[in-house]
Amino acid sequence: MAYNEKSIQVLEGLEPVRKRPGMYIGSTGISGLHHLVWEIFDNSIDEVVAGKCNNIKITLFKDGSVCIEDNGRGIPPGLNEKTGLSTVDTVFTVLHAGGKFDDSAYKTAGGLHGVGASVVNALSTYLTVVVKRDGRIYEAKYENGGKITQPLKVIGNTNKSGTTVTFLPDVTIFKNIELNANTIKERIRESSFLYKNLKISFYDENKDETTEFESNTGIIDFVKYLNEGKTTCNNIAFFEGKSDDIEVEISFQYTNSSTELLVSFANGVKTTEGGAHETAFKGTITELVNITARKWDILKDKQENFSGEDVREGLTAVISIRVPEKIIQYEGQTKNKLFTPEAYSAVKKVFWEKFVFWLEENRKVSEKIIQKILIARDARIAARKTREDIKKLREKTQGLILSGKLTPAQSKDYSKNELFLVEGNSAGGTAKLARDKKYQAILPLRGKVINAEKVKLKDLLCNEEICTIISCIGAGVGNDFNIKDIRYDKIIIMADADVDGAHIACLLLTFFYRFMKPMVEQGHIFVALPPLFQIKDNKTKEEIYLWTEEELETEKLNHKSYELQRYKGLGEMDAPQLRETTMGKTRRLMKVSIDDAILAEKNVNTLMGDNIVIRKEWINANINFDPE
């Protein structure tokens, strides 16, 4: 191909966004799709932060379109001198145009880059804006990636103020434009916790259901929500303060759980990858707990210090800071990580002063918590020794341990290899015959898999099936896990499509989520979806595999004479059938992902934890039990 002057393209207007959407919203998958909603929603939240809005309404329509309405000040409608367009048209059609660059409009804001509204417009089939301001109602319309079809014009009068944005994501950009109502509701819930007395309503047209969110105590309610169903060790603590114009709010509570749950926000935007504020909190709480433990003679002179992992075991904490727009620094447009150095100093100063006082004022509770941390430290040291012992044993007996269990792949190209974790001996034997020997490895699961939600790592390492899985994957476990060392690109759970199979899958997923979480986060964990039925046409001899009752009913109508087989388990399939339906090119796999870390954490704790009442309530509300 020729490389000359004609090879250089100049993309105008919103064309760069449509050409490279991932640069602006992270991906064109489900997370990028929801990011469109967050961009517009965050603009409404910025009005809340400015003290100009206390009511937001979000509507999800059946066709996939979304409407977000607030009672803020409304986007200024006047002419923009630089673009020659109205300010509304400028905000929605020009990149890097908005009220976030001048701190006279927003002292703190989540929409840092000022490109959110225009990016949403660029990636939508249509977008309509209605602005209520200064006694008038204005409307502007855009189609096919942000092309102005109706410049801003007055359409009526009003005594209210606010902005309403309605848009339909572009099906040619996104793989799927079906927004998840639960994901949207969780994001709304978070925001209602971050801003006291903000009322947010969500209407789902598909269910004809309205849900309202409002909190009177802010992030205290957030911690309470996160710890539902858990046994707690202290009343919820809450600290707030200000340093160098940065407002800091921190709330925490210890539980008897073996895991930590830390959620952080900067200017109302969830920083899923943490950053300066999280680092400051983690370092401060670890340092102060160690100082206090030695001061109170709980931690002896020759004893090893508590690690951050020890101190945060069972800790649920929410950090929310508000940083002036002029100094805030995120990582990229998706704002996953906070870089602002001043945030580190502010959080450390505020939290240090408040936490020192809290420890002394709550001496009995504090001692109880530190004793819990001491137990966690001792368990960590014991687990470390157990890992070392197991490693030595594995090095001596690696071949013996796996020879009777693992059927390995021939290829050493780990980027293509797959490990099937197969329920039962019978299905495991069939899977060995059905596999692609070059790239697919088979590990039958013969014993009971332990519930990783209820045990510490030391106990987990005593479970033979878990140890075998760890050995096969080859990347360590817990804090020692290194994603770079995994021996398979895909870990595929293959279990019967029944209650027992679902239970085994849940146990394995809980283990991966708790002790090999990067594999889940980076998309290496899958669940195989074996068919439930097979229809064989008696005339044509055509064999059709079906996965749902709906598919079955449709195929029944398409065939006059047929034989029907119902698969109650993987063992009922022969090797060619298993290869065709579950292991070969036409298989169906479900990738396990974490779209919402908080929701995932709560669901894992609910399903695999000790609170039977909450588990039953969740199952009744979320799972349909279809009759046979």
Side-chain angles (χ1 to χ4, degrees), residues 76-250:
L79 192 69
N80 183 279
E81 295 180 358
K82 291 185 179 180
T83 64
L85 302 170
S86 71
T87 303
V88 173
D89 288 331
T90 299
V91 166
F92 281 90
T93 63
V94 179
L95 284 173
H96 304 291
K100 316 295 170 62
F101 299 103
D102 180 359
D103 61 8
S104 64
Y106 295 98
K107 184 179 179 183
T108 65
L112 168 68
H113 298 284
V115 302
S118 57
V119 166
V120 174
N121 199 8
L123 302 177
S124 296
T125 300
Y126 71 80
L127 186 147
T128 302
V129 187
V130 174
V131 173
K132 297 175 183 178
R133 184 175 170 124
D134 302 327
R136 294 185 174 183
I137 304 174
Y138 302 84
E139 183 184 64
K141 295 182 179 181
Y142 316 93
E143 292 181 4
N144 301 321
K147 296 179 178 62
I148 300 175
T149 56
Q150 177 188 298
L152 190 72
K153 69 176 185 179
V154 177
I155 62 169
N157 299 315
T158 183
N159 59 359
K160 298 180 180 179
S161 66
T163 302
T164 303
V165 178
T166 306
F167 67 92
L168 176 67
D170 192 335
V171 72
T172 67
I173 297 290
F174 296 94
K175 301 171 185 176
N176 173 17
I177 63 167
E178 186 177 345
L179 288 156
N180 187 305
N182 287 331
T183 300
I184 295 174
K185 285 197 287 188
E186 284 305 307
R187 177 63 182 265
I188 293 171
R189 190 192 309 274
E190 290 173 9
S191 295
S192 72
F193 288 137
L194 295 177
Y195 304 100
K196 299 174 187 176
N197 303 315
L198 165 64
K199 185 176 181 179
I200 311 176
S201 65
F202 174 71
Y203 175 68
D204 183 357
E205 189 180 52
N206 294 292
K207 294 184 177 179
D208 189 25
E209 176 184 84
T210 298
T211 311
E212 295 189 343
F213 303 88
E214 186 174 11
S215 171
N216 295 321
T217 61
I219 63 173
I220 295 175
D221 278 343
F222 203 162
V223 172
K224 183 179 180 181
Y225 166 73
L226 294 174
N227 283 344
E228 283 178 356
K230 297 180 182 180
T231 302
T232 59
C233 303
N234 62 284
N235 292 328
I236 299 173
F238 173 74
F239 309 136
E240 61 181 336
K242 190 173 183 180
S243 176
D244 297 328
D245 285 333
I246 296 176
E247 299 174 14
V248 178
E249 287 188 351
I250 296 172

Side-chain angles (χ1 to χ4, degrees), residues 8 121 148 211 216 271 278 414 457 513:
I8 307 302
N121 199 8
I148 300 175
T211 311
N216 295 321
T271 42
E278 270 198 27
Y414 297 160
L457 181 57
Y513 179 75

